[in-house]
Amino acid sequence: MLVIFVVLGAAVLHATWNAMAHGAPDRVAGLALFELSAGVIGLIAVLFMGLPPAGTWWYIAASAILHVAYLGGLLASYQLGQFSQMYPLARGTSPWVVAVVSIVILNQQLALIELAGVLLISGGLIGLVFIGRPGRRQAPALLAAFGTGLMIASYTVVDGVAVHKMPVATYMGWVFMLQGFAVPIAVLCWRGPRSFNLPRPAILSGLAGGVVSMAAYGLVLWAQTRGTLAAIAALRETSIIFGAIIGALFFHERFGPKRAAAALVVVAGIVLITLG
């Protein structure tokens, strides 16, 4: 139960920082500030924790690269589509992909009731997207969100293996330091210093978002050392429910009874995983 509550808490934090990123006046600069803040925290962790064990560098490099690709897909999704549709599709794609990989490749055991829970959560989350009947004009946004979901699944699998080979703080510090400094440097090269000519509230919000995202990520990494990868990946994506609520309350995007029903399907999946 502790693991479940920790992952659900991480889901709330994750939906919060994604909403902050979507609501930023300049989303590119906002994400760069998120990553800069996380990179500084990662550097501090590295200074305290030191080098990772021999033979584990490729996990760190792979996760950092996948995270940068994920952020690019996330940015494209938010530029092209609605938060309450793009966020569910990106996050809802991940659990079933992780479930397949963890069972087929990593040989992890998943009880039937847990597998049913994963499928319900994935189905409910993707249902939150297609209830709105997206048209052809939204195809690029949907493809960007789906690609983002594949990146999420990829780094989730890498992370799930890596946290059993080194301390969570060591892994997290190196990954965040690498990606955290890479993103703002790339933005500076792409758009120049004027990218960060933002109002003070926007700068503070961006830096705070990095702290929130790192806290959410750290909680999930801790949970992955104590539970099955597929179940935790599915529970993590319940952030979609919180994201849909945030989209309705703060971005004035429709929620409605059909989306509420899809959210209840997700809750049913959580119950099954809990019973498993």
Side-chain angles (χ1 to χ4, degrees):
M1 289 302 296
L2 175 60
V3 172
I4 290 170
F5 282 121
V6 165
V7 177
L8 290 177
V12 175
L13 292 176
H14 197 280
T16 300
W17 85 255
N18 271 262
M20 293 169 72
H22 180 79
D26 184 333
R27 292 181 185 132
V28 174
L31 276 176
L33 288 171
F34 276 33
E35 291 304 302
L36 178 61
S37 174
V40 171
I41 298 173
L43 174 60
I44 294 171
V46 164
L47 293 175
F48 277 98
M49 299 301 297
L51 295 174
T56 60
W57 281 105
W58 86 268
Y59 293 105
I60 293 169
S63 184
I65 292 169
L66 289 168
H67 270 88
V68 172
Y70 149 70
L71 289 171
L74 192 69
L75 179 63
S77 301
Y78 288 167
Q79 295 282 55
L80 295 169
Q82 288 189 342
F83 177 73
S84 59
Q85 284 189 314
M86 298 303 102
Y87 187 59
L89 181 56
R91 305 308 306 188
T93 299
S94 172
W96 60 266
V97 175
V98 172
V100 171
V101 172
S102 62
I103 293 170
V104 175
I105 297 178
L106 301 180
N107 296 317
Q108 290 191 352
Q109 298 295 322
L110 199 66
L112 285 177
I113 192 170
E114 287 183 306
L115 181 59
V118 169
L119 294 176
L120 277 177
I121 289 174
S122 293
L125 295 180
I126 294 175
L128 282 169
V129 180
F130 292 103
I131 282 170
R133 294 181 182 178
R136 290 183 179 179
R137 292 182 180 179
Q138 289 185 283
L142 294 175
L143 287 174
F146 180 71
T148 302
L150 294 180
M151 293 301 102
I152 294 169
S154 299
Y155 75 64
T156 297
V157 172
V158 173
D159 293 348
V161 176
V163 292
H164 292 283
K165 298 181 179 293
M166 70 187 91
V168 169
T170 301
Y171 181 69
M172 187 173 164
W174 279 98
V175 170
F176 266 93
M177 184 184 71
L178 291 175
Q179 76 178 64
F181 290 122
V183 172
I185 289 172
V187 171
L188 277 174
C189 294
W190 173 29
R191 296 175 49 178
R194 292 184 180 180
S195 300
F196 298 100
N197 288 340
L198 301 171
R200 186 176 179 181
I203 293 174
L204 293 177
S205 176
L207 295 175
V211 176
V212 175
S213 74
M214 194 165 189
Y217 184 65
L219 290 173
V220 170
L221 286 183
W222 175 85
Q224 285 177 339
T225 66
R226 288 162 171 79
T228 57
L229 189 57
I232 289 171
L235 283 172
R236 180 187 191 181
E237 309 315 346
T238 56
S239 59
I240 304 308
I241 296 177
F242 305 112
I245 294 170
I246 290 171
L249 292 177
F250 295 100
F251 301 131
H252 308 293
E253 297 173 358
R254 291 188 61 189
F255 193 73
K258 291 183 179 179
R259 286 191 176 179
L264 288 176
V265 172
V266 175
V267 173
I270 295 172
V271 171
L272 289 181
I273 289 176
T274 305
L275 293 175

